[in-house]
Amino acid sequence: MQAAKPLFDYPKYWAECFGPAPFLPMSREEMDTLGWDSCDIIIVTGDAYVDHPSFGMAIIGRLLEAQGFRVGIIAQPDWRSKDDFMKLGQPNLFFGVAAGNMDSMINRYTADKKIRSDDAYTPGGLAGKRPDRASLVYSQRCKEAYSNVPVVLGGIEASLRRIAHYDYWQDKVRRSILMDATADILLYGNAERAVVEIAQRLAFGENIENITDIRGTAFIRRDAPQGWFEVDSTRIDRPGRVDKIINPYVNTQDTAACAIEQEKGAHEAEDPNEAKVVQLLSHPRLERDKTVIRLPSFEKVRNDPVLYAHANRVLHLETNPGNARALVQKHGEVDVWFNPPPIPMTTEEMDYVFGMPYARVPHPAYGKEKIPAYDMIRFSVNIMRGCFGGCTFCSITEHEGRIIQNRSHDSIIREIEEMRDKVPGFTGVVSDLGGPTANMYRIACKDPEIERHCRKPSCVFPGICENLNTDHSSLIELYRKARALPGVKKILIASGLRYDLAVESPEYVKELVTHHVGGYLKIAPEHTERGPLDKMMKPGIGSYDRFKQMFEKYSKEAGKEQYLIPYFIAAHPGTTDEDMMNLALWLKRNGFRADQVQAFYPSPMATATAMYHSGKNPLRKVSYKSDSVEIVKSEQQRRLHKAFLRYHDPKGWPMLREALQRMGRADLIGNGKHQLIPTFQPATDEYQSARRKNSTPAGSKKVGKQAAKPLLTQHTGLPPRSHDGNPWEKREQAKAAAEARRRGAAGGKPAGKGKPGKRPVAPR
C-alpha cells in the first residue's frame, strides 16, 4: 500500500494566526468576536453542532482549523430557501456538505417507512429539522446561494449513495447522488485525508475541476484519461469474442508493436517453415493504480436487478486500499469516476485527529436544550475505527473500511482525563470505550503483505481467518489503565461485542465480565438458523453458546448477577418462515422476550440490500442462472416475521396460529411447555411492551419529565420480573407463591422475599 502524506505535515494556511476558536462560529456575531471578516470553509450539516469527536462536523471542522483555515458551521439550516445558507457570507474556498451522522432517510423513517417521531441529533429530540435526502438538498441550496463556490459533498449519506444505488423508500435504483446534488466532488469513507488535500490545493489556487487524483473521491468526467487501462465489467453470462492469441511479450496498447505482430503474421502465412527471430519489445508493467473497472451503466442497473447485483459485487471486491482499482459508471452522457478508497490513518494521525481542542459539549446557542445523541455519548471514548466483520446488512465496512485504525493508549487516557476534568455532570462512570466494534482494537492481519493483497469481504466469516491475529492483550491493558485513573469509578463497554473473536481470548472475556459489564451486555447473534446467517456473514449460534458459557462462568466467579441481551433481525434476505419459527422456539427455550425488534432495513449500497432488490447473492459470482435468495418484501410477511420474534405478545397470536397451521406445525399451538403459542386468545389485551411501560401516560402531569419508576430493558424476561404483563405467567407465579405458603404453614422452610429486585423462586 502506497504511503500517504501525514495529516500534520501540510504547511499551515495564513489564517492560522487567529488560533483555535472556543467553538466554530455559527453566526456573524461570533465571527466578529473572533476577528474574522469571512470564513474560508463553511460546513453545512443536518445535525446539531456538538463540538465532540463523535460528531462528523466537529472532527472535520477542527481538523481544517488545525491546518490554519477559518471554519464556520451551518447546522440544520432551513432548507426551504437559500437564506440560511448565506448567513455566514460567502466562503473563500468551498462549502462542505453532509447530511449528518446518519443517512437522512434512515434518520427520518422507520423500517416500515413510517416517519419517526423524534431525531436524536436535534435539540429537544424534535423531528423534522432536516429534509429527505439532506445532502442533495443542501448542495443545491449552496449552489443557489453562491453559484461560483465549489461544493464538496461528504458524510455517510454521500458515501453510501456515491454509486447507482437501490433506494428502499422509492423502491427503485437512483443514480449517483453526485449527479443530483450538483456538487463538484464527493468524498467517501473517512475523509480526513481527502478534505485536507482539497483545502490545501484550493488555497493554492487550483481549480476544483482539475482535482481528480485524490483517493476516496468521486467526480464527474466526460473524457477518459490518457494512459489508463479499462477492464470491461458491464456484462455477465454472455461469452465474449474469442481473439487471436497475442504474443505475451507485446504491449497491446502500443500500436507500433501491434503493427509488427500483424506483419509477422503475414510472413508466417507465406512461409510457415521459415525460422523467425523473436523480438522482445519494451512492455511497461500494467499497474493497478492505472486500471479502471467499468461497471454496468446506471441505465442498465436501473432496469436489470441481476446486473445491479453484479455491480454491487464488483464494488465490494474493490474496497481494500491495498489492491483496489478505480471504478467508473456511465450516467447518460457522462461518467462518474470513483478513485480507490483512502489510505487508513496511522496511530499518530488518529491521535492527531482526536487530540484537537474539542469543547466536548454542544454549541452554547442551544442553551439548556438536550440533544439525545450527545447525552448518550458524552462520557464515552472512541478508541478505533473500521470493522472487518463484513456483515452484509451493515454499512460500517463500506464507510470506514475493514482495516482497523487505532489510537494509542496515551491518547485515549488523555481523553478520559479531559472528560473527567472538563465535561459537566461526570460522575466517574465512562459509558463506553469502543467504536464500531468493542473488541477489534489493535487486531489485524499477521502479515501486511497478505493484508495488502486480500480481497475477502470478511476476516471472520465463514470462520476466523488463519492470518488474523486475535490477540486482545493490548485492549486488556487499556482497560486496566483506564479504570486505574483517579476519579474513574467504572468503565463500561457499550459498543457491540464480536463474541466469536472474544472467545479466542478467555482472559479478555474474564476481564470484561469481571469489571466492565453493568449488569447487561448487548451482543448480536442476529439469528439462529444457518440460512439467514450465511446471507448476513455471521457466525453460527454455537459461537454464541460458547461465549454464553464463558460469560456465566466468569460472572459467577466474580459473584455478579449479569445477563446477556441478544439482538435479532427479522425479515433479512435468506430468511424463511420456518427459520423465524425455529428462532422463536429457541427464544422460548432460553427464556428471552424481545420487546423491541428490528426488521431488516435495506440501507443504500449494502450487500444485503442488493440481495433484497435482485433476489441474487453477490457474495458469490452472480449470473442470471445463479441460485436465488429468499426475500421478504410483503408487508404481511414482514409482520409475520416480527410476530415470531415477539411470540409472547397476544396481538400476534392470530397471525402465528394461521401461519403455523399453513406450515403444517399446528403441534406448536397449545398450552404445553414446548408449544409456542396457546390455543386461546385473551378477551382483553393485557400485554404491555417495555417501551409502553417506560412511557408516561398521555395527559399525565409528568409528561416531559423523567418518570420515578425504574426503566425496563428491551427484554422483559431478563432478569425475571414479577410484574411482567403476561397473565399466564402471573397465574403460574401465583400458584408457586401459594405452594410456598402451604409448605411454610406445614412446617417447611418459609419462602423469603429474596434480594431486592428479584422475585421469589418457587420450591421444586
Side-chain angles (χ1 to χ4, degrees):
M1 192 182 304
Q2 67 186 58
K5 185 175 182 178
L7 291 173
F8 35 74
D9 277 3
Y10 287 87
K12 298 292 190 293
Y13 191 60
W14 69 266
E16 181 197 13
C17 60
F18 288 100
F23 287 88
L24 302 177
M26 293 177 62
S27 66
R28 290 303 297 253
E29 291 75 20
E30 291 175 80
M31 290 170 59
D32 293 340
T33 302
L34 294 170
W36 298 3
D37 62 341
S38 61
C39 290
D40 300 309
I41 299 159
I42 295 177
I43 296 174
V44 182
T45 174
D47 293 339
Y49 170 34
V50 179
D51 200 44
H52 187 285
S54 290
F55 287 74
M57 87 292 287
I59 287 183
I60 297 299
R62 289 297 188 182
L63 176 62
L64 290 169
E65 180 189 59
Q67 301 290 319
F69 300 104
R70 294 167 294 178
V71 184
I73 300 284
I74 298 178
Q76 297 188 317
D78 182 354
W79 68 92
R80 297 171 184 86
S81 76
K82 64 180 180 180
D83 296 346
D84 264 10
F85 297 82
M86 303 176 73
K87 64 182 181 182
L88 299 183
Q90 178 173 327
N92 301 320
L93 297 179
F94 66 86
F95 277 109
V97 172
N101 276 16
M102 292 177 66
D103 181 277
S104 59
M105 298 300 287
I106 296 176
N107 177 277
R108 295 203 66 217
Y109 297 91
T110 69
D112 296 325
K113 301 183 181 180
K114 297 177 181 177
I115 295 180
R116 297 187 191 274
S117 58
D118 56 5
D119 183 346
Y121 293 92
T122 299
L126 298 177
K129 290 293 185 179
R130 75 186 81 210
D132 289 356
R133 314 183 203 288
S135 298
L136 189 158
V137 177
Y138 293 162
S139 297
Q140 292 176 344
R141 285 287 185 243
C142 287
K143 282 294 186 182
E144 184 181 348
Y146 303 104
S147 60
N148 60 321
V149 176
V151 172
V152 178
L153 195 60
I156 192 164
E157 181 168 279
S159 278
L160 301 187
R161 296 176 180 272
R162 64 184 184 265
I163 200 166
H165 56 280
Y166 173 73
D167 187 85
Y168 173 61
W169 302 270
Q170 290 186 327
D171 191 25
K172 73 175 187 180
V173 175
R174 290 179 62 96
R175 60 183 185 169
S176 167
I177 194 172
L178 194 55
M179 297 291 296
D180 294 325
T182 65
D184 295 275
I185 194 169
L186 181 150
L187 314 185
Y188 70 88
N190 297 142
E192 285 91 347
R193 291 195 191 286
V195 76
V196 167
E197 180 76 12
I198 288 172
Q200 291 282 349
R201 289 166 67 168
L202 290 177
F204 276 93
E206 193 167 346
N207 193 311
I208 188 76
E209 294 178 357
N210 298 329
I211 301 178
T212 60
D213 59 342
I214 300 176
R215 295 179 69 112
T217 62
F219 44 88
I220 297 171
R221 68 188 332 157
R222 293 184 178 274
D223 301 316
Q226 295 295 320
W228 283 72
F229 179 73
E230 184 177 292
V231 177
D232 186 358
S233 189
T234 59
R235 298 177 178 181
I236 55 176
D237 258 10
R238 186 178 298 178
R241 181 169 58 92
V242 178
D243 294 321
K244 176 186 174 182
I245 297 176
I246 301 296
N247 184 340
Y249 298 103
V250 173
N251 177 5
T252 56
Q253 292 179 296
D254 187 337
T255 55
C258 287
I260 292 173
E261 284 297 300
Q262 290 172 356
E263 184 179 353
K264 286 166 58 181
H267 288 316
E268 287 174 2
E270 295 172 3
D271 189 357
N273 298 319
E274 182 182 349
K276 299 295 186 295
V277 178
V278 176
Q279 296 185 14
L280 297 178
L281 303 175
S282 60
H283 179 60
R285 186 165 62 92
L286 192 61
E287 299 286 353
R288 292 182 76 85
D289 60 4
K290 285 292 184 180
T291 302
V292 61
I293 300 176
R294 180 165 292 279
L295 299 173
S297 69
F298 159 67
E299 289 77 14
K300 290 289 186 182
V301 299
R302 177 183 58 187
N303 298 319
D304 189 337
V306 181
L307 267 182
Y308 178 88
H310 164 71
N312 183 272
R313 174 175 169 79
V314 174
L315 174 77
H316 284 85
L317 287 174
E318 302 297 330
T319 55
N320 183 347
N323 60 58
R325 292 164 288 187
L327 304 172
V328 64
Q329 186 176 49
K330 184 170 285 296
H331 285 62
E333 298 300 317
V334 299
D335 284 338
V336 180
W337 185 282
F338 312 94
N339 280 335
I343 303 296
M345 287 195 291
T346 64
T347 295
E348 292 76 18
E349 289 174 312
M350 286 284 286
D351 290 353
Y352 174 69
V353 168
F354 281 87
M356 301 292 171
Y358 302 102
R360 300 190 68 85
V361 294
H363 190 280
Y366 301 120
K368 295 183 179 180
E369 282 219 83
K370 298 288 187 181
I371 300 175
Y374 167 70
D375 289 341
M376 183 167 56
I377 56 85
R378 63 176 174 159
F379 300 130
S380 67
V381 177
N382 194 334
I383 66 175
M384 45 77 74
R385 283 183 185 171
C387 179
F388 50 73
C391 299
T392 61
F393 53 81
C394 180
S395 301
I396 292 173
T397 301
E398 282 92 338
H399 185 59
E400 296 191 4
R402 64 183 181 88
I403 296 176
I404 306 301
Q405 302 165 75
N406 310 280
R407 296 173 62 186
S408 69
H409 285 191
D410 289 344
S411 171
I412 295 165
I413 295 300
R414 279 197 303 271
E415 184 171 345
I416 296 174
E417 291 174 332
E418 184 178 348
M419 182 172 63
R420 175 197 63 192
D421 299 337
K422 295 183 180 179
V423 178
F426 183 69
T427 60
V429 178
V430 177
S431 61
D432 188 26
L433 282 184
T437 303
N439 61 321
M440 286 187 182
Y441 181 74
R442 297 213 173 277
I443 293 182
C445 193
K446 296 175 182 177
D447 187 338
E449 275 299 301
I450 294 176
E451 180 181 74
R452 187 169 70 87
H453 290 91
C454 182
R455 292 168 65 80
K456 291 176 62 177
S458 172
C459 300
V460 289
F461 181 86
I464 296 176
C465 178
E466 60 182 8
N467 295 311
L468 186 68
N469 179 9
T470 59
D471 182 14
H472 285 63
S473 59
S474 183
L475 187 55
I476 295 170
E477 182 184 354
L478 174 63
Y479 287 176
R480 291 171 179 170
K481 286 181 181 179
R483 69 170 183 266
L485 288 173
V488 174
K489 301 175 184 176
K490 184 81 173 178
I491 304 281
L492 297 174
I493 304 303
S495 297
L497 185 78
R498 192 76 194 202
Y499 53 86
D500 52 341
L501 275 179
V503 296
E504 298 294 313
S505 176
E507 183 185 5
Y508 171 75
V509 179
K510 183 175 183 179
E511 188 79 13
L512 174 76
V513 171
T514 305
H515 301 286
H516 302 286
V517 176
Y520 299 91
L521 180 67
K522 296 182 291 186
I523 59 174
E526 308 297 4
H527 217 283
T528 58
E529 304 307 296
R530 193 68 267 171
L533 287 173
D534 285 346
K535 303 303 183 297
M536 299 175 187
M537 287 209 299
K538 291 285 287 187
I541 200 66
S543 295
Y544 166 81
D545 292 334
R546 289 193 295 275
F547 179 78
K548 183 173 183 289
Q549 291 172 1
M550 297 173 71
F551 180 88
E552 292 174 344
K553 172 187 174 184
Y554 294 129
S555 292
K556 185 176 181 180
E557 289 179 3
K560 295 184 175 183
E561 186 175 2
Q562 300 180 143
Y563 300 90
L564 287 177
I565 305 295
Y567 283 74
F568 299 94
I569 293 180
H572 190 278
T575 308
T576 64
D577 295 350
E578 288 75 13
D579 291 331
M580 292 306 300
M581 177 191 71
N582 291 332
L583 171 56
L585 291 170
W586 184 92
L587 289 171
K588 184 168 186 180
R589 283 196 305 270
N590 288 274
F592 291 126
R593 292 185 168 192
D595 267 311
Q596 299 176 35
V597 301
Q598 178 62 52
F600 169 65
Y601 207 149
S603 59
M605 211 174 80
T607 299
T609 302
M611 295 181 194
Y612 178 88
H613 173 57
S614 68
K616 298 293 183 180
N617 183 5
L619 297 176
R620 300 177 180 177
K621 186 176 180 180
V622 176
S623 73
Y624 292 101
K625 296 180 181 179
S626 58
D627 292 340
S628 297
V629 176
E630 185 82 20
I631 303 298
V632 182
K633 283 194 174 183
S634 72
E635 184 179 347
Q636 183 177 3
Q637 194 177 14
R638 286 173 69 88
R639 286 204 310 267
L640 173 63
H641 283 206
K642 291 174 72 172
F644 271 119
L645 274 181
R646 292 167 52 83
Y647 67 90
H648 52 284
D649 185 353
K651 290 180 181 178
W653 289 350
M655 183 186 299
L656 291 178
R657 290 192 196 98
E658 181 182 345
L660 290 172
Q661 289 171 350
R662 184 179 69 250
M663 295 160 62
R665 293 306 309 270
D667 58 300
L668 296 177
I669 304 172
N671 305 319
K673 181 179 179 181
H674 300 292
Q675 291 172 306
L676 189 60
I677 55 173
T679 54
F680 54 89
Q681 192 74 15
T684 58
D685 178 20
E686 298 186 39
Y687 175 79
Q688 198 174 38
S689 71
R691 175 176 288 184
R692 180 64 58 85
K693 288 179 185 178
N694 291 339
S695 301
T696 305
S700 169
K701 295 181 180 180
K702 292 185 179 181
V703 170
K705 298 182 179 179
Q706 179 71 30
K709 60 185 179 181
L711 294 179
L712 301 177
T713 67
Q714 289 191 352
H715 298 263
T716 57
L718 290 178
R721 291 179 170 83
S722 59
H723 57 271
D724 280 351
N726 189 314
W728 293 272
E729 183 170 310
K730 285 183 176 180
R731 183 177 62 188
E732 294 301 316
Q733 292 172 12
K735 286 182 180 179
E739 177 67 13
R741 289 193 297 271
R742 184 185 65 76
R743 292 193 179 188
K749 185 177 179 180
K753 293 183 179 179
K755 295 181 181 179
K758 295 176 62 179
R759 67 183 182 196
V761 179
R764 295 181 180 176

